[in-house]
Amino acid sequence: MSTIMIFAEFTNTQLKKSTLELLTAARKSNLKIQAIAVGPGAKNMLAALGQNGVEQVFVSDSEVFARYNSEVFSNAFAEVIKAQSPKFLLASSTMMARDLFPRLAAKIKAGVVSDCTELSFSGDSAKIRKPLYSGKCSAEVQFVSSGTQIILMRSNQLPIEASQKAGAASMSEIVAPKTDLKTLVKEIVKATSNKLDLTEASIIVSGGRGMKDAENFKLLNELADTLGATVGASRAVVDAGWVPHSMQVGQTGKTVAPVLYIACGISGAIQHLAGMSGSKVIVAINKDANAPIFQKATYGIVGDVFEILPLLNAEFKKILQH
Ligand code: FAD
């Protein structure tokens, strides 16, 4: 029987939302579902994976997988994929995935398509679509090779549906490869934020050059705190050094698709739109009524961000406190 394997990502306590999206899509395929989960805490995910329709999990909670290393991950994953030969391998199109899976594809001679926005299954074949030229058009992509088909999905594009399955997943231990490493990440210094990463956030409040300077981002932080949102930015303000690159949305930043994207003082250049036009509802605040962002916006507010943001924040506070 053909199988579909999911790269399961998790936080300290639960599967990531993006993984639940992939699992929902996989359940609609009627193929046997397997998963691969690595890193400390991976074994704690077995029950949740079983409840979501996964029959077999390839797992390691070794410290070797605590930090992403392309050699370690691609060697370990290659062993699993070579042995199992799943028809499909699904993962979220994160920065890490876009590094890992092309390497893996080269090792196992598989095809890989990243940044997909649509996915459905019919029998043994997958229908996938991805945007091209910064979202100006999209293409349906077909695999022509017979090997494993690796599909990297953008998050927030697929629905999450409750699983009707209640089975337990069986566990197969992955042996961490003994690799003579060429590079080693010694330390990762995390930005101190309790906010969700932009790619995971359901609500994003984003600021552009219209915010005038870094100090004024406090208005965006205040609104984000009220809404439980994450703050993003245009490249202009990242280049100006107001905020770190990890906050940049767009062609050379992160691709996001939240339920609500509030663009404040952002003109709507094509490279910015490339990263956020998949958002469900877009609210734009700009004092220039002809700013291109209004062509993409669901709701547009023509006005000064310094007047509008405090008003919006006060209104949202009133509504959300009731
Ligand atoms: P601006 O274009 O300067 O717009 C500022 C807006 O603020 C204006 O519309 C103005 O009317 C409004 N404004 C000013 N004051 C106020 C006020 N008081 N109240 C309300 N509105 C106000 N950009 C990205 O964002 N992400 C990317 O990933 C990215 N990648 C790029 C890759 C390449 C190869 C290139 C060439 C460019 C890329 N860019 C990217 C840059 C992009 O082309 C734009 O330059 C950038 O998005 C502009 O940022 P902005 O909208 O903040 O600034």
Side-chain angles (χ1 to χ4, degrees):
M1 185 191 185
S2 298
T3 56
I4 182 165
M5 190 175 287
I6 310 291
F7 173 44
E9 296 181 272
F10 49 90
T11 61
N12 288 343
T13 52
Q14 57 192 13
L15 292 171
K16 285 194 175 178
K17 197 167 141 261
S18 50
T19 295
L20 294 173
E21 291 169 8
L22 299 177
L23 288 164
T24 302
R27 286 197 299 277
K28 292 178 184 166
S29 73
N30 291 325
L31 302 176
K32 176 183 170 184
I33 308 175
Q34 299 172 314
I36 183 162
V38 293
K43 287 183 183 167
N44 300 339
M45 298 300 130
L46 282 174
L49 287 167
Q51 280 152 18
N52 276 283
V54 177
E55 290 182 35
Q56 188 180 16
V57 186
F58 296 86
V59 72
S60 169
D61 54 10
S62 162
E63 280 293 325
V64 172
F65 295 107
R67 290 190 192 127
Y68 174 61
N69 179 298
S70 52
E71 291 171 80
V72 172
F73 276 62
S74 60
N75 287 342
F77 282 37
E79 291 304 310
V80 175
I81 305 299
K82 273 189 212 151
Q84 297 300 315
S85 304
K87 174 90 184 169
F88 302 105
L89 175 56
L90 299 190
S92 294
S93 202
T94 58
M95 295 274 196
M96 174 192 143
R98 290 201 296 264
D99 183 82
L100 168 62
F101 289 100
R103 285 172 197 274
L104 175 67
K107 277 186 200 289
I108 61 171
K109 302 201 183 345
V112 59
V113 185
S114 60
D115 259 340
C116 301
T117 50
E118 287 175 35
L119 168 68
S120 59
F121 293 96
S122 152
D124 229 7
S125 62
K127 195 169 172 191
I128 47 180
R129 192 166 266 283
K130 65 172 287 175
L132 297 177
Y133 304 113
S134 300
K136 289 203 190 80
C137 61
S138 69
E140 192 178 321
V141 187
Q142 265 186 353
F143 289 91
V144 286
S145 61
S146 56
T148 294
Q149 304 178 4
I150 305 178
I151 302 170
L152 306 185
M153 281 299 299
R154 281 189 190 173
S155 54
N156 293 320
Q157 304 295 313
L158 298 166
I160 296 175
E161 288 163 21
S163 168
Q164 304 303 323
K165 316 238 169 160
S170 68
M171 183 184 99
S172 304
E173 190 94 29
I174 299 174
V175 183
K178 290 195 181 25
T179 314
D180 186 13
L181 294 177
K182 295 182 192 70
T183 56
L184 185 67
V185 178
K186 295 198 107 171
E187 191 190 7
I188 296 176
V189 183
K190 265 202 142 189
T192 47
S193 167
N194 54 2
K195 299 261 163 54
L196 281 177
D197 185 79
L198 281 171
T199 55
E200 290 269 308
S202 300
I203 305 178
I204 294 174
V205 179
S206 231
R209 199 156 20 207
M211 295 305 298
K212 305 290 187 235
D213 74 37
E215 181 63 15
N216 294 328
F217 264 61
K218 71 171 186 293
L219 289 173
L220 304 177
N221 287 322
E222 282 164 11
L223 180 58
D225 285 344
T226 306
L227 295 174
T230 298
V231 177
S234 71
R235 173 162 161 180
V237 308
V238 172
D239 287 351
W242 299 355
V243 296
H245 180 258
S246 59
M247 286 171 66
Q248 184 180 317
V249 173
Q251 188 183 316
T252 44
K254 289 184 176 161
T255 302
V256 300
V259 177
L260 173 62
Y261 188 92
I262 307 179
C264 310
I266 293 177
S267 59
I270 184 77
Q271 297 90 353
H272 188 80
L273 299 179
M276 46 62 80
S277 55
S279 308
K280 297 253 168 354
V281 173
I282 298 172
V283 175
I285 310 169
N286 197 303
K287 66 179 185 186
D288 174 7
N290 295 316
I293 190 80
F294 287 128
Q295 285 163 25
K296 279 279 170 198
T298 325
Y299 301 100
I301 303 173
V302 180
D304 189 324
V305 280
F306 301 105
E307 285 174 31
I308 308 289
L309 279 171
L311 292 175
L312 268 186
N313 195 14
E315 283 306 310
F316 278 127
K317 269 190 178 156
K318 269 193 235 161
I319 296 165
L320 294 170
Q321 276 159 15
H322 283 297

